[in-house]
Amino acid sequence: MKNLISTIAAIITLLFTANTIQANAIKTTETGIEIADSSQLQSVYDAYFNVKDALIKSDAKLTSAKAKDLLDAITAIKMDKLKTDEHTAWMKVVKKLTADAKSISTSTDLKKQRETFKSLSKNTYTLIKVSKSNEVVYKQYCPMADADWLSKEKAVKNPYYGSSMLTCGNVVETIK
Protein backbone atom coordinates (compact mmCIF):
# COMPACT_ATOMS: atom_id res chain seq x y z
CA MET A 1 0.00 0.00 0.00
CA LYS A 2 2.85 2.37 0.87
CA ASN A 3 4.46 1.67 -2.53
CA LEU A 4 1.18 2.48 -4.32
CA ILE A 5 0.81 5.79 -2.45
CA SER A 6 4.44 6.68 -3.14
CA THR A 7 4.01 5.86 -6.83
CA ILE A 8 0.84 7.98 -7.10
CA ALA A 9 2.57 10.88 -5.31
CA ALA A 10 5.54 10.61 -7.67
CA ILE A 11 3.25 10.61 -10.73
CA ILE A 12 1.33 13.67 -9.46
CA THR A 13 4.61 15.50 -8.77
CA LEU A 14 5.87 14.60 -12.23
CA LEU A 15 2.67 15.87 -13.87
CA PHE A 16 2.81 19.20 -12.01
CA THR A 17 6.48 19.62 -12.94
CA ALA A 18 5.74 18.89 -16.61
CA ASN A 19 2.88 21.42 -16.63
CA THR A 20 5.10 24.09 -15.07
CA ILE A 21 7.87 23.47 -17.63
CA GLN A 22 5.35 23.59 -20.49
CA ALA A 23 3.78 26.82 -19.19
CA ASN A 24 7.21 28.48 -18.97
CA ALA A 25 8.05 27.35 -22.52
CA ILE A 26 4.85 28.94 -23.84
CA LYS A 27 5.63 32.25 -22.10
CA THR A 28 9.11 32.29 -23.65
CA THR A 29 7.70 31.61 -27.11
CA GLU A 30 5.15 34.40 -26.76
CA THR A 31 7.86 36.83 -25.69
CA GLY A 32 10.01 35.78 -28.66
CA ILE A 33 7.14 36.49 -31.06
CA GLU A 34 6.59 39.95 -29.61
CA ILE A 35 10.23 40.83 -30.23
CA ALA A 36 9.94 39.60 -33.82
CA ASP A 37 6.75 41.65 -34.28
CA SER A 38 8.40 44.92 -33.29
CA SER A 39 11.48 44.37 -35.42
CA GLN A 40 9.34 43.44 -38.42
CA LEU A 41 7.68 46.85 -38.64
CA GLN A 42 10.88 48.59 -37.53
CA SER A 43 12.43 47.62 -40.87
CA VAL A 44 9.61 49.50 -42.63
CA TYR A 45 10.14 52.55 -40.40
CA ASP A 46 13.90 52.51 -40.97
CA ALA A 47 13.40 52.32 -44.74
CA TYR A 48 10.89 55.20 -44.55
CA PHE A 49 13.47 57.33 -42.69
CA ASN A 50 16.02 56.56 -45.42
CA VAL A 51 13.59 57.80 -48.09
CA LYS A 52 13.02 60.97 -46.05
CA ASP A 53 16.77 61.54 -45.71
CA ALA A 54 17.26 61.13 -49.46
CA LEU A 55 14.54 63.74 -50.10
CA ILE A 56 16.27 66.13 -47.68
CA LYS A 57 19.38 65.80 -49.88
CA SER A 58 17.20 66.54 -52.95
CA ASP A 59 18.66 63.44 -54.63
CA ALA A 60 16.00 61.87 -56.88
CA LYS A 61 18.11 58.80 -57.79
CA LEU A 62 18.97 58.08 -54.16
CA THR A 63 15.32 58.63 -53.18
CA SER A 64 14.26 56.14 -55.85
CA ALA A 65 16.76 53.55 -54.59
CA LYS A 66 15.71 54.02 -50.96
CA ALA A 67 12.05 53.69 -51.95
CA LYS A 68 12.89 50.32 -53.55
CA ASP A 69 14.36 49.28 -50.19
CA LEU A 70 11.14 50.43 -48.53
CA LEU A 71 9.10 48.39 -50.99
CA ASP A 72 11.22 45.33 -50.12
CA ALA A 73 10.65 45.96 -46.40
CA ILE A 74 6.90 46.27 -46.93
CA THR A 75 6.65 43.04 -48.93
CA ALA A 76 8.75 41.18 -46.33
CA ILE A 77 6.19 41.76 -43.57
CA LYS A 78 4.56 38.56 -42.37
CA MET A 79 1.06 39.64 -41.39
CA ASP A 80 0.40 36.52 -39.32
CA LYS A 81 3.24 37.57 -36.99
CA LEU A 82 1.74 41.01 -36.23
CA LYS A 83 -0.19 41.73 -33.06
CA THR A 84 -3.93 42.19 -33.56
CA ASP A 85 -3.94 46.01 -33.44
CA GLU A 86 -0.87 46.18 -35.70
CA HIS A 87 -2.48 43.77 -38.15
CA THR A 88 -5.62 45.91 -38.29
CA ALA A 89 -3.62 49.09 -38.94
CA TRP A 90 -1.40 47.27 -41.46
CA MET A 91 -4.41 46.08 -43.43
CA LYS A 92 -5.69 49.67 -43.64
CA VAL A 93 -2.44 51.12 -45.01
CA VAL A 94 -0.49 48.35 -46.78
CA LYS A 95 -1.94 48.93 -50.27
CA LYS A 96 -1.30 52.66 -50.12
CA LEU A 97 2.18 52.23 -48.60
CA THR A 98 3.04 49.79 -51.38
CA ALA A 99 1.66 52.05 -54.11
CA ASP A 100 3.48 55.11 -52.73
CA ALA A 101 6.80 53.29 -52.35
CA LYS A 102 6.47 51.89 -55.87
CA SER A 103 5.59 55.33 -57.28
CA ILE A 104 8.58 56.99 -55.60
CA SER A 105 10.92 54.16 -56.63
CA THR A 106 9.99 54.38 -60.32
CA SER A 107 10.14 58.17 -60.54
CA THR A 108 13.17 60.39 -61.05
CA ASP A 109 11.09 63.55 -60.73
CA LEU A 110 11.89 65.01 -57.31
CA LYS A 111 8.69 67.09 -57.26
CA LYS A 112 6.53 63.99 -57.86
CA GLN A 113 8.50 62.01 -55.28
CA ARG A 114 7.91 64.70 -52.69
CA GLU A 115 4.20 64.89 -53.51
CA THR A 116 3.85 61.12 -53.08
CA PHE A 117 5.89 61.29 -49.87
CA LYS A 118 3.00 63.23 -48.29
CA SER A 119 0.74 60.20 -48.58
CA LEU A 120 3.53 57.83 -47.59
CA SER A 121 4.11 59.86 -44.42
CA LYS A 122 0.42 59.94 -43.55
CA ASN A 123 0.08 56.16 -43.80
CA THR A 124 3.35 55.47 -42.00
CA TYR A 125 2.11 57.73 -39.19
CA THR A 126 -1.11 55.67 -38.95
CA LEU A 127 0.96 52.53 -38.55
CA ILE A 128 3.59 53.90 -36.16
CA LYS A 129 0.90 55.27 -33.80
CA VAL A 130 -0.36 51.72 -33.27
CA SER A 131 2.87 49.74 -33.19
CA LYS A 132 5.48 52.25 -31.98
CA SER A 133 9.04 52.47 -33.19
CA ASN A 134 12.04 51.24 -31.21
CA GLU A 135 13.03 54.92 -30.94
CA VAL A 136 11.33 58.21 -30.19
CA VAL A 137 9.77 59.55 -33.39
CA TYR A 138 8.81 63.15 -34.07
CA LYS A 139 5.92 64.10 -36.30
CA GLN A 140 6.87 67.34 -38.01
CA TYR A 141 4.83 69.75 -40.11
CA CYS A 142 5.70 72.17 -42.90
CA PRO A 143 3.11 74.94 -43.43
CA MET A 144 4.52 75.78 -46.88
CA ALA A 145 3.98 72.21 -48.15
CA ASP A 146 0.94 71.75 -45.86
CA ALA A 147 2.30 68.31 -45.06
CA ASP A 148 3.66 66.20 -42.22
CA TRP A 149 6.57 63.78 -42.05
CA LEU A 150 8.20 61.60 -39.43
CA SER A 151 11.72 61.98 -38.12
CA LYS A 152 14.02 60.33 -35.59
CA GLU A 153 15.58 63.74 -34.89
CA LYS A 154 13.85 66.59 -33.11
CA ALA A 155 15.70 69.13 -35.28
CA VAL A 156 13.64 69.98 -38.36
CA LYS A 157 15.09 68.96 -41.72
CA ASN A 158 12.40 69.45 -44.32
CA PRO A 159 12.12 66.70 -46.97
CA TYR A 160 9.66 68.74 -49.06
CA TYR A 161 12.05 71.58 -49.85
CA GLY A 162 15.52 70.25 -49.05
CA SER A 163 18.26 72.86 -48.79
CA SER A 164 16.07 75.69 -50.11
CA MET A 165 13.97 75.65 -46.89
CA LEU A 166 15.74 73.06 -44.77
CA THR A 167 14.46 74.20 -41.38
CA CYS A 168 10.93 75.19 -42.41
CA GLY A 169 8.54 73.42 -40.08
CA ASN A 170 8.07 72.39 -36.48
CA VAL A 171 7.53 69.37 -34.27
CA VAL A 172 3.81 68.80 -33.74
CA GLU A 173 3.90 65.48 -31.88
CA THR A 174 6.35 63.21 -30.07
CA ILE A 175 5.64 59.48 -30.42
CA LYS A 176 7.24 57.29 -27.77
Side-chain angles (χ1 to χ4, degrees):
M1 188 66 164
K2 284 185 178 183
N3 283 344
L4 181 63
I5 293 173
S6 294
T7 304
I8 292 173
I11 290 172
I12 291 172
T13 303
L14 185 63
L15 286 174
F16 279 118
T17 304
N19 281 342
T20 303
I21 291 169
Q22 186 178 12
N24 287 338
I26 291 170
K27 286 179 185 173
T28 302
T29 302
E30 287 173 358
T31 303
I33 289 172
E34 278 186 31
I35 291 169
D37 290 347
S38 298
S39 65
Q40 235 197 129
L41 291 176
Q42 189 63 44
S43 65
V44 172
Y45 304 145
D46 291 342
Y48 165 88
F49 293 129
N50 290 335
V51 171
K52 175 201 55 102
D53 292 342
L55 286 171
I56 290 168
K57 294 176 184 173
S58 298
D59 186 334
K61 285 184 181 179
L62 181 62
T63 300
S64 177
K66 295 302 179 182
K68 285 179 185 152
D69 294 343
L70 174 59
L71 196 53
D72 291 343
I74 292 167
T75 56
I77 296 296
K78 297 192 180 358
M79 290 185 282
D80 60 328
K81 302 281 187 200
L82 297 174
K83 296 177 209 163
T84 305
D85 54 346
E86 290 174 336
H87 185 269
T88 302
W90 181 254
M91 293 306 293
K92 288 179 184 174
V93 300
V94 66
K95 286 182 182 176
K96 194 64 178 146
L97 285 174
T98 303
D100 290 341
K102 187 177 253 182
S103 174
I104 293 170
S105 73
T106 58
S107 177
T108 53
D109 181 334
L110 196 56
K111 188 175 181 178
K112 287 181 182 175
Q113 290 175 329
R114 285 178 166 151
E115 192 59 38
T116 306
F117 187 70
K118 291 177 182 181
S119 172
L120 182 68
S121 294
K122 179 182 175 193
N123 289 298
T124 303
Y125 172 76
T126 299
L127 191 59
I128 210 166
K129 282 294 285 185
V130 172
S131 70
K132 306 292 186 233
S133 170
N134 292 340
E135 309 165 87
V136 173
V137 175
Y138 301 95
K139 181 180 180 185
Q140 299 176 338
Y141 174 75
C142 171
M144 297 297 290
D146 190 26
D148 297 308
W149 72 93
L150 302 171
S151 179
K152 293 189 284 184
E153 299 88 30
K154 193 172 185 175
V156 173
K157 291 184 182 171
N158 191 321
Y160 297 110
Y161 291 102
S163 62
S164 66
M165 291 175 50
L166 186 61
T167 59
C168 178
N170 60 308
V171 174
V172 294
E173 184 178 349
T174 302
I175 306 163
K176 295 179 183 180

